[in-house]
Amino acid sequence: MWLIDAIKKLFNRQPVESTAAREEDQAAARKYEDTHDVNFVAISAKKLANLTVAESKVNVVGTAETAPPRAEMINDLIQRFWNKQSLRATAMAYGYGGVFIIPYVVSNDIYIDVVPQNRCIATRRIGDRIIGLSVLAERRQTANNIYYRITDYELDGNIYRIKNRALRDGQEVTLATIADWAGMTEDIQIVGVDRMLMGFLPCPNNRRDHDDGGITGAAITYGNDRLLADIQQCLNDIRAEYKNKQVKIFVDETMLDDKDELSATIYKKLMVGGKLESGNFFEIFDPAIRDSAYFSRLNMLFDLFEKSIGVSKGLLTDPVTGQATATEIKRANYDTYALVEAMRKKWEDAVNDLAYAINVFANLTGGTPQADYEIQWDWGYSLIENSGETWAQLLQAQSAGVVSKAELRQFLRQDESLDEAQAAIDEITAQEPTLSQLLGGAGIGEPVNAGTE
């Protein structure tokens, strides 16, 4: 693989993963990126990504009473990333096996890239922790040349080193060769960090047949090549069945013109005499299509595929609900929920590291003073949650005094923060009269004894 040769030449690094693991990463990438036929790897990854991040939010807030500018800056970057790239990054993690979420600085502005793990080579590790990584960050093509930007990251104690290099035809060129790269610093050293300045989002799946498979993830369809091939063959058989059993009309070749089409002139001449010779004039071939048998096998393969990747029915097959209760629906979806929940834990770890990295880079770029922050998650649970039941439970909790009205409102208006929900409730309370005000005649927002001594 040319990337390995490049990082050896540029950074004197060696991969720590086995050749087999790297080859599997490349194979997974080819399967996920294939657009020539029905791609069940991409279909599964996209649907699981929808279930993972749908109706979910993340916020970075300051720990002080007033939101410090640093927390707001981190939150703005995280929000922009989450809104624009979380769905894509999640699908990529399921499809490729994992993605690295890497912030970088250009002209004092912080940007975030999502890089699939097949473009990343781990060069140092401690246990399952990566402390050295070389990344094929970008590929640019001009009229005559192809340029690659390769970045090396290394954590040495509490010192973090970043090296940016550019290649053309296997030879190193300056970063300024590409206008967008001109603002990047070639070598950066940061002191006082305790982790790699990036997030890693692996698929919860794992490589079952490799001793060193613990540092990167495996695609959600890992180990199912034979089953995917059977599904593809069944689809091919269905195509052939419909194609070979299309309605056909058999006629004598003398009735066809030089383009093998039925000649209207010959047809009319043969019909002039009125009666035809004995036998049918046309023979029609219209056999029954064995769709029931083929689709029964296809659904069986879909069902087996869902079981093999550890999800409930409904990913490729139709979910069976019928007259099921809300509790039964939750149980039926539990396998999918367990996988989604595992990926969400991976997201929390990745965003925690991403926010830490942004905070470190913000110290370098300046503009906002250092401040403490915390990350708040609000995951959507529509996969297993019945909104009516949840609302009834919240009402009971509010009556018991364990949930506030603001939390009730936030359930209905999920775009509001808790403070915004409380402010809206206070405004509503000020505008609506109480029972005592109605009986006593006091104005809205005024105490009942207004105007008395």
Side-chain angles (χ1 to χ4, degrees), residues 178-200:
I178 300 297
D180 292 350
W181 301 346
M184 294 183 179
T185 305
E186 286 194 353
D187 294 279
I188 302 171
Q189 181 169 295
I190 305 171
V191 179
V193 300
D194 60 15
R195 70 192 79 172
M196 296 285 282
L197 299 183
M198 62 183 69
F200 178 49

Side-chain angles (χ1 to χ4, degrees), residues 236-250 284-294:
N236 293 339
D237 291 342
I238 291 172
R239 291 193 193 102
E241 179 78 4
Y242 275 84
K243 182 178 180 180
N244 294 334
K245 294 192 176 182
Q246 291 176 349
V247 176
K248 296 178 177 63
I249 299 176
F250 296 92
I284 301 176
F285 175 73
D286 186 17
I289 294 175
R290 297 170 295 174
D291 56 337
S292 177
Y294 277 112

Side-chain angles (χ1 to χ4, degrees), residues 15-87:
V16 296
E17 287 187 297
S18 67
T19 301
R22 296 196 306 273
E23 289 175 349
E24 285 176 356
D25 282 346
Q26 299 305 318
R30 288 191 296 271
K31 293 168 190 173
Y32 178 64
E33 295 167 0
D34 183 25
T35 59
H36 295 92
D37 212 329
V38 181
N39 189 331
F40 290 101
V41 179
I43 290 171
S44 304
K46 182 62 163 56
K47 189 159 187 177
L48 286 170
N50 288 337
L51 296 174
T52 301
V53 303
E55 302 178 2
S56 299
K57 296 182 295 184
V58 57
N59 286 290
V60 179
V61 298
T63 55
E65 291 186 2
T66 58
R70 174 62 62 84
E72 291 180 349
M73 184 275 289
I74 297 173
N75 185 56
D76 287 344
L77 284 171
I78 296 291
Q79 288 294 325
R80 184 171 61 189
F81 168 78
W82 186 258
N83 293 334
K84 291 186 176 181
Q85 299 199 64
S86 63
L87 182 62

